[in-house]
């Protein structure tokens, strides 16, 4: 078992962006005598060179509306990488970052978001040789604004203003704001 994450996007694209958590794990398993020979095909020199299969538990929350970004195995210089799903997935992630940055988020914010939000990455096609195709689906409900394409371009959303070395976000959207009350007793 590895470390526990509260939330992690498929691929954990920033390599350290999942939200870590402490917790306890209850693991139940059933031994199937001879199961490796019955269900798994060795992929190496011995019968122990098998890749595991497993059943996952129910995942919550479930989302119904997704925005899907596609990438193909052509890098940013235009060079084709024959059926390279890693390049295709990287392109899907970069397409998502560029798109979501149009809604007022910094590219760094989107990059970290994709590591910890419940996004789903897939190898979506290898039939179109020489291209591999990967997709990255992001649930639209996780955003504080509607990020789906609309006529007229992206709506006005949060914008990052820099004043000296302090970043402050302003919001011009229609969703209600919650302002935290000061806990210091000073009334500010």
């Amino acid at each position: 078992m590895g470390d526990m994450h509260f939330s992690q996007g498929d691929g954990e694209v920033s390599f350290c962006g999942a939200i870590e958590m402490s917790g306890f794990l209850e693991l139940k398993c059933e031994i199937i005598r001879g199961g490796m020979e019955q269900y798994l095909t060795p992929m190496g020199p011995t019968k122990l060179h098998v890749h595991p299969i497993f059943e996952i538990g129910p995942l919550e929350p479930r989302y119904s509306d997704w925005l899907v970004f596609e990438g193909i195995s052509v890098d940013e210089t235009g060079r084709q990488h024959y059926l390279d799903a890693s390049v295709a997935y990287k392109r899907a992630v970069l397409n998502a970052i560029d798109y979501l940055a149009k809604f007022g988020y910094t590219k760094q914010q989107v990059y970290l978001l994709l590591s910890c939000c419940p996004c789903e990455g897939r190898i979506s096609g290898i039939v179109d040789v020489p291209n591999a195709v990967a997709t990255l689906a992001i649930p639209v409900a996780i955003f504080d604004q509607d990020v789906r394409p609309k006529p007229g371009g992206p709506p006005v959303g949060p914008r990052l203003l820099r004043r000296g070395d302090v970043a402050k976000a302003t919001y011009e959207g229609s969703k209600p704001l919650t302002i935290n009350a000061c806990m210091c007793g000073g009334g500010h």
Side-chain angles (χ1 to χ4, degrees):
M1 299 278 98
D3 60 330
M4 299 179 85
H5 293 163
F6 174 76
S7 184
Q8 174 182 326
D10 279 355
E12 196 176 358
V13 298
S14 73
F15 300 101
C16 61
I19 300 173
E20 306 290 339
M21 64 177 276
S22 62
F24 296 93
L25 176 70
E26 181 179 317
L27 180 67
K28 296 180 182 181
C29 62
E30 181 179 336
I31 305 293
I32 301 173
R33 295 205 186 278
M36 286 176 55
E37 291 83 9
Q38 292 173 353
Y39 291 103
L40 303 176
T41 303
M43 300 292 179
T46 73
K47 67 179 186 174
L48 297 177
H49 284 83
V50 294
H51 297 281
I53 59 172
F54 51 92
E55 182 178 349
I56 60 173
L59 300 173
E60 296 297 336
R62 301 230 184 252
Y63 295 100
S64 58
D65 294 324
W66 300 79
L67 197 55
V68 180
F69 299 89
E70 182 179 273
I72 62 172
S73 55
V74 176
D75 67 22
E76 47 278 358
T77 68
R79 182 172 163 246
Q80 171 69 50
H81 296 264
Y82 186 84
L83 291 179
D84 191 330
S86 294
V87 171
Y89 193 70
K90 175 184 173 185
R91 295 305 310 158
V93 168
L94 291 174
N95 290 339
I97 290 171
D98 286 341
Y99 177 85
L100 292 169
K102 291 176 172 50
F103 289 81
Y105 307 105
T106 67
K107 290 186 177 188
Q108 295 85 352
Q109 287 173 322
V110 179
Y111 180 60
L112 291 174
L113 174 73
L114 295 179
S115 284
C116 60
C117 78
C119 61
E120 296 184 4
R122 301 232 177 358
I123 297 175
S124 301
I126 55 170
V127 68
D128 296 322
V129 175
N131 294 320
V133 179
T135 54
L136 179 69
I138 305 170
V140 296
I142 67 170
F143 294 98
D144 61 350
Q145 60 182 312
D146 187 355
V147 295
R148 293 174 289 192
K150 300 259 190 281
V156 174
R159 298 287 179 240
L160 193 64
L161 301 176
R162 297 199 183 275
R163 293 191 178 115
D165 60 347
V166 178
K168 181 176 180 181
T170 63
Y171 180 64
E172 299 169 3
S174 61
K175 301 221 176 188
L177 282 177
T178 302
I179 305 211
N180 293 330
C182 177
M183 304 303 272
C184 65
H188 23 70

